[in-house]
Amino acid sequence: MGVQAQGSQTKLKFDFGPGKVAPGYTQVVADTIYNKNSGYGFEPGANISCVTRGGDALRGDLCTSDKPFYFSVALPEGNYNVTVTLGDSDSATVTTIKAEVRRLMLEKVETARGKFVTRTFTVNVRTPSIKGDGEVRLKDREKTTEWWAWDEKLTLEFNNSHPAVCAIEIKRVDVPTIYLLGDSTVCDQPAEPYNSWGQMLTRFFQTGIAIANHAESGESLRSSLAAHRLDKVLSVLQPGDYVIIQYGHNDEKEKGEGVGAYTTYKTDLKTFVIEARKRGAHPMVVTPVQRRSFDAAGKITNSHGDYPDAVRQLAKEENVPLIDLNAMSKLLYEAWGPDLSKQAFAPNDNTHHNNYGSYELAKCVVEGIRAGKSGLARYLVSDVAAFDLSRPDPIDSFALPPSPKASSAKPLGN
């Protein structure tokens, strides 16, 4: 019988390494591979090394690898506090942790030789099922390279130059949730070099609030409604939760009589806002992030037509907090200029960002949250200074290790 979690009182404890096992903990060693019977373990394919140093049961042994590795635990849908103990008595360690599909949770946690650190973060686990009403209409890629965002388990990625995991505790928690709805510039991108601001936003929030990213590539407001993405969010939405909505890139491509920014788009956006409010949640709207489209004078041209203004108009009419990412990204891109801005985007792509670009855009979203009146700012971490859009972080100072290729992110351990 495995440790598969049930109910609202879920609390699981794992002691990594072949040494003494701490009381109340389940031991994890190098050949502990995930399967549905046990409900926990490493995902296949990693070169895991587990060693014993002696001493304290939790800190006297650990698991590590010279490559990124994944550990999964079967969990019911919900929010969880994950507490990790990191460090090595014999060497310095550097660990970056991502969850599910590359959501950045902990960035470059360092320990000196013989030192240990315990960190906690809050993560959301979801499934496609909609209580009493079917399920989300997933795209093919959501059933393959993005499946870890939807399956029956929480998957943690341990990365960086020397990750060293001594212990993990997982506890189900009843905390507020931020639901993201949007397109490919928001969603959990499965593969390098692509990334989105939604995947980076998790890094900027404290323990005690979860981010559930329900955005998806290629989506418009209309297609998200048709795929039941809003229905899914509404089915789990609780009073006091937040819903952040950013569409436009694909809406502007839709054709037909009466289709447009101030008609169908604005009406559908209002539907998202009204439905969230009916359930006691706090909606926030975001203008579509700019494309990298410079004119001869080095200024960004508007490639979104009336869609950003339609969002601003709706926000004013409905008294909804607005994050004007369209305006902020214009300033950010122009600060880089036509040449340096390329380093923020995926190769040969003027719409989708890489890790660096999405990290900087997440900082823009954070600034928008700080400037708003939603109350969400109180959940932000305290270690990030105000972001000056005219002076973005230099790329030379940015060092986030890439995740394994998409082929390694397909459903495993089943």
Side-chain angles (χ1 to χ4, degrees), residues 2 8 24 46 68 79 116 140 143 194 208 214 294 322 342 404:
S8 60
N79 296 328
F116 298 86
D140 286 345
K143 301 174 184 178
Y194 296 92
H214 286 259
F294 286 90
L322 170 71
K342 294 177 183 178

Side-chain angles (χ1 to χ4, degrees), residues 241-300:
D241 287 344
Y242 297 83
V243 183
I244 300 180
I245 309 157
Q246 185 220 276
Y247 290 90
H249 281 81
N250 302 300
D251 306 75
E252 64 198 41
K253 302 172 187 176
E254 294 177 340
K255 306 297 181 184
E257 185 176 354
V259 173
Y262 297 116
T263 53
T264 53
Y265 176 74
K266 186 177 172 184
T267 298
D268 289 339
L269 185 58
K270 183 176 179 179
T271 297
F272 278 58
V273 168
I274 290 174
E275 293 300 321
R277 280 178 166 167
K278 281 182 182 178
R279 289 152 181 84
H282 308 290
M284 304 174 70
V285 293
V286 185
T287 52
V289 62
Q290 292 278 6
R291 296 186 176 94
R292 185 181 164 276
S293 55
F294 286 90
D295 62 18
K299 300 296 183 181
I300 288 291

Side-chain angles (χ1 to χ4, degrees), residues 384-402:
V384 179
F387 187 45
D388 184 348
L389 299 175
S390 67
R391 300 180 64 185
D393 301 318
I395 192 170
D396 292 344
S397 66
F398 181 79
L400 184 71

Side-chain angles (χ1 to χ4, degrees), residues 5-278:
Q6 300 293 335
S8 60
Q9 301 302 313
T10 300
K11 188 171 184 180
L12 303 174
K13 298 181 178 182
F14 299 95
D15 184 349
F16 285 70
K20 294 184 296 183
V21 182
Y25 283 74
T26 299
Q27 188 175 43
V28 175
V29 293
D31 61 357
T32 305
I33 304 302
Y34 182 87
N35 64 77
K36 287 188 175 180
N37 290 328
S38 69
Y40 68 96
F42 295 112
E43 295 290 343
N47 181 28
I48 303 294
S49 174
C50 296
V51 297
T52 301
R53 306 299 193 198
D56 175 78
L58 275 186
R59 297 168 179 80
D61 53 357
L62 59 95
C63 291
T64 186
S65 177
D66 58 357
K67 296 179 180 179
F69 61 95
Y70 299 93
F71 183 77
S72 295
V73 182
L75 294 170
E77 184 170 38
N79 296 328
Y80 296 85
N81 277 353
V82 179
T83 300
V84 294
T85 301
L86 307 171
D88 186 348
S89 60
D90 279 14
S91 65
T93 73
V94 185
T95 307
T96 290
I97 300 177
K98 304 175 189 178
E100 299 290 75
V101 181
R102 302 170 63 222
R103 300 174 196 166
L104 182 60
M105 308 309 299
L106 296 179
E107 180 186 2
K108 197 178 182 181
V109 179
E110 298 180 279
T111 65
R113 178 181 177 180
K115 300 296 183 180
F116 298 86
V117 65
T118 298
R119 295 285 182 87
T120 302
F121 54 88
T122 306
V123 64
N124 174 265
V125 175
R126 64 178 184 180
T127 69
S129 298
I130 301 173
K131 187 176 181 180
D133 190 24
E135 61 182 27
V136 179
R137 190 180 302 160
L138 301 180
K139 297 180 179 180
D140 286 345
R141 59 176 166 258
E142 293 180 275
K143 301 174 184 178
T144 53
T145 57
E146 299 173 18
W147 184 237
W148 279 353
W150 288 108
D151 65 8
E152 82 291 350
K153 58 193 178 184
L154 166 65
T155 298
L156 301 175
E157 174 190 326
F158 295 91
N159 207 325
N160 223 308
S161 59
H162 182 39
V165 187
C166 299
I168 297 177
E169 295 184 28
I170 301 172
K171 181 180 180 181
R172 186 158 185 169
V173 290
D174 182 13
V175 298
T177 306
I178 304 168
Y179 292 92
L180 305 183
L181 284 159
D183 52 38
S184 58
T185 62
V186 187
C187 77
D188 287 343
Q189 290 283 356
E192 306 284 349
Y194 296 92
N195 202 274
S196 79
W197 64 256
Q199 286 171 290
M200 295 296 185
L201 192 64
T202 44
R203 180 260 182 265
F204 298 99
F205 278 87
Q206 303 172 17
T207 304
I209 190 166
I211 295 181
N213 195 340
H214 286 259
E216 176 53 31
S217 293
E219 291 292 271
S220 65
L221 286 162
R222 279 180 151 188
S223 66
S224 286
L225 286 167
H228 306 297
R229 298 187 192 278
L230 177 60
D231 291 336
K232 171 63 182 180
V233 170
L234 296 177
S235 74
V236 290
L237 199 60
Q238 297 295 316
D241 287 344
Y242 297 83
V243 183
I244 300 180
I245 309 157
Q246 185 220 276
Y247 290 90
H249 281 81
N250 302 300
D251 306 75
E252 64 198 41
K253 302 172 187 176
E254 294 177 340
K255 306 297 181 184
E257 185 176 354
V259 173
Y262 297 116
T263 53
T264 53
Y265 176 74
K266 186 177 172 184
T267 298
D268 289 339
L269 185 58
K270 183 176 179 179
T271 297
F272 278 58
V273 168
I274 290 174
E275 293 300 321
R277 280 178 166 167
K278 281 182 182 178

